[in-house]
Amino acid sequence: MSADAVATSLPPWKRVLVVVAHPDDESFALGALLERFISDGADVSVLCLTRGEASTLGGGTLDLAATREAELVAAGAVLGVTSSRVLAHPDGALAEVDRERLVGDVLAEVERQGPDGILVFDPVSGVTGHEDHAAASLAAIDAAGRRSLPVLGWALPAVVAEGLNVEFGAAFAGYAA
């Protein structure tokens, strides 16, 4: 399948590494895919590159980073995720972190988990246009290339992105079908 091909079914991976930028990315964006991989018998691990401390949600929380990290672990447990690891790169500035450092973090998790493939957000738009999403995905793609691992990128068709943007005032970016 070419890099531009659109998958209509999930690959038969038995070990999946999910690489995301923020706590909640595994749920709001990838939750259905994680559930499907898990229900098909795969072990799914999540690597989150930031603790989500720059979120505008829960602004009154004393330690937002700790709260969001705990939420990611709890969400992973509900989804059936085997392992959740949260790193402390700067939320909102992931694109400014040295790419080799991010790739190294992903490679270390690849060594720990031994995945058959890696699941990421669309690396061009980050799906939401957030630079952290694109930076996390690009680092994961680079790491996957170094280990000859396939990558599955989650993206939205433009019509779906437009509908979500109208309905929720969001900023999703889609691809032309």
Side-chain angles (χ1 to χ4, degrees):
M1 185 178 296
S2 76
D4 296 326
V6 175
T8 57
S9 62
L10 293 179
W13 301 339
K14 292 301 175 194
R15 298 185 64 76
V16 180
L17 175 60
V18 180
V19 178
V20 295
H22 314 106
D24 79 6
D25 293 348
E26 82 296 335
S27 296
F28 98 83
L30 303 174
L33 289 172
L34 272 60
E35 190 283 326
R36 180 62 184 268
F37 272 117
I38 292 165
S39 69
D40 286 349
D43 286 330
V44 174
S45 300
V46 175
L47 174 63
C48 182
L49 298 177
T50 77
R51 297 180 74 206
E53 70 276 3
S55 176
T56 57
L57 302 173
T61 304
L62 291 178
D63 188 350
L64 186 57
T67 299
R68 294 203 64 209
E69 182 175 348
E71 288 173 348
L72 180 139
V73 172
V78 169
L79 289 166
V81 168
T82 306
S83 167
S84 297
R85 182 178 304 276
V86 181
L87 303 182
H89 293 296
D91 184 11
L94 202 54
E96 297 169 23
V97 174
D98 179 63
R99 170 75 64 83
E100 282 303 310
R101 185 168 178 203
L102 297 177
V103 171
D105 289 336
V106 176
L107 287 170
E109 196 65 16
V110 165
E111 294 306 313
R112 275 190 282 281
Q113 302 301 334
D116 298 316
I118 298 177
L119 174 61
V120 298
F121 278 43
D122 169 53
V124 176
S125 69
V127 178
T128 64
H130 197 306
E131 288 184 358
D132 282 2
H133 294 164
S137 295
L138 290 170
I141 290 167
D142 192 348
R146 295 179 192 191
R147 294 297 182 266
S148 299
L149 289 170
V151 176
L152 178 61
W154 176 72
L156 293 174
V159 67
V160 173
E162 291 165 14
L164 290 168
N165 294 341
V166 168
E167 186 172 349
F168 298 108
F172 289 100
Y175 65 91

